[in-house]
Amino acid sequence: MINIYSLVKDGNKKLSANFTVKEFACKDGSDKILIDDALVDVLQKIRDHFGLPVKITSAYRTAAHNAAVGGSPSSQHLQGTAADITLPGISPLAVAQYAEYLMPGSGGIGVYGTFTHVDVRAARSRWDQRSGRQVVVAGWPGYQVPATPEVVEPPAEKKEESEMQRYKTVEEMPTGMQPTVTKLADKGLLVGRGEAGLDLTEDMVRLLVINDRAGVYDRPCCK
């Protein structure tokens, strides 16, 4: 949607997280400013992606100013749908490649010697003017979408010791485990730890029961 703003009344109005109305004003100082919401959205995405300020060198143009700077009579700047931009330390080509990713099937993207032209027209247009002569190109490939790191989940069946059931007393244990634990306590092989009691986990008690059934605790060394 193309909106009409006043430089005097709306100049400081925020259009997005990082852009205000006055940044889109015509360089001739005229009060009227046309700005397309879709253009602001694309510029904000470019700003977020690179994490750097986007300087708009030319956005909306009045017909008189457009003619004065040699712009096309059908320039997208006249409609408030275009912006020429620079980012510190980022080449115009790199900006164009990311813009291509954002608008693969629409919009205009032109690469110049010192800036990138971006517009949100419905049709698709691509050109290279770094040589000073406009050359139509198929597009600006090159941007690589970052790979999403694979998340490896830990085995679901293995519990951490802190998550297991813990038993302080014999009475808290399942009935089938109690004889083994009582037997070992009577032999002095199991001793409680103060208020913590026996403090045995499920796995610990199961291992004791297995060993007991195998006769481990009935050997001379354990009597």
Side-chain angles (χ1 to χ4, degrees):
M1 178 179 176
I2 299 174
N3 299 290
I4 301 175
Y5 297 97
S6 162
L7 178 58
V8 174
K9 295 180 181 179
D10 308 311
N12 292 318
K13 178 182 176 65
K14 293 197 71 171
L15 300 171
S16 68
N18 298 100
F19 293 97
T20 57
V21 168
K22 61 186 177 185
E23 294 177 80
F24 294 80
C26 182
K27 300 305 180 184
D28 66 3
S30 58
D31 186 63
K32 179 182 176 181
I33 309 172
L34 300 183
I35 307 174
D36 195 318
D37 290 336
L39 176 63
V40 177
D41 182 60
V42 169
L43 296 185
Q44 185 63 53
K45 287 177 179 176
I46 291 174
R47 203 275 181 203
D48 291 342
H49 171 70
F50 289 102
L52 294 167
V54 174
K55 181 179 180 181
I56 301 175
T57 59
S58 179
Y60 172 65
R61 296 176 190 165
T62 62
H65 182 67
N66 186 62
V69 299
S72 166
S74 58
S75 172
Q76 294 292 312
H77 288 279
L78 296 169
Q79 303 175 48
T81 55
D84 297 336
I85 61 174
T86 64
L87 282 78
I90 307 298
S91 70
L93 175 58
V95 176
Q97 289 171 332
Y98 184 63
E100 183 76 49
Y101 164 72
L102 294 176
M103 305 185 297
S106 63
I109 306 172
V111 175
Y112 293 73
T114 59
F115 67 90
T116 308
H117 169 100
V118 179
D119 69 58
V120 290
R121 71 183 81 180
R124 185 177 184 277
S125 182
R126 306 288 187 267
W127 67 94
D128 186 345
Q129 196 143 342
R130 287 174 290 182
S131 66
R133 180 175 60 89
Q134 187 173 113
V135 178
V136 176
V137 297
W140 297 108
Y143 173 71
Q144 298 294 321
V145 180
T148 303
E150 183 179 354
V151 178
V152 179
E153 295 290 341
E157 67 277 4
K158 186 173 181 179
K159 289 184 179 181
E160 293 293 333
E161 185 174 315
S162 61
E163 297 176 349
M164 294 181 182
Q165 173 69 48
R166 305 187 78 92
Y167 304 110
K168 290 184 178 182
T169 65
V170 175
E171 290 73 20
E172 294 176 0
M173 300 174 190
T175 304
M177 296 178 173
Q178 291 181 12
T180 294
V181 177
T182 299
K183 172 181 177 180
L184 296 180
D186 291 343
K187 287 176 176 284
L189 298 177
L190 280 180
V191 180
R193 294 186 290 180
E195 294 183 0
L198 294 172
D199 194 27
L200 299 173
T201 67
E202 293 176 80
D203 282 353
M204 291 177 184
V205 178
R206 288 195 187 102
L207 182 59
L208 293 175
V209 172
I210 291 171
N211 288 340
D212 186 32
R213 290 174 180 173
V216 173
Y217 306 120
D218 295 322
R219 295 172 185 171
C221 65
C222 298
K223 290 184 178 180

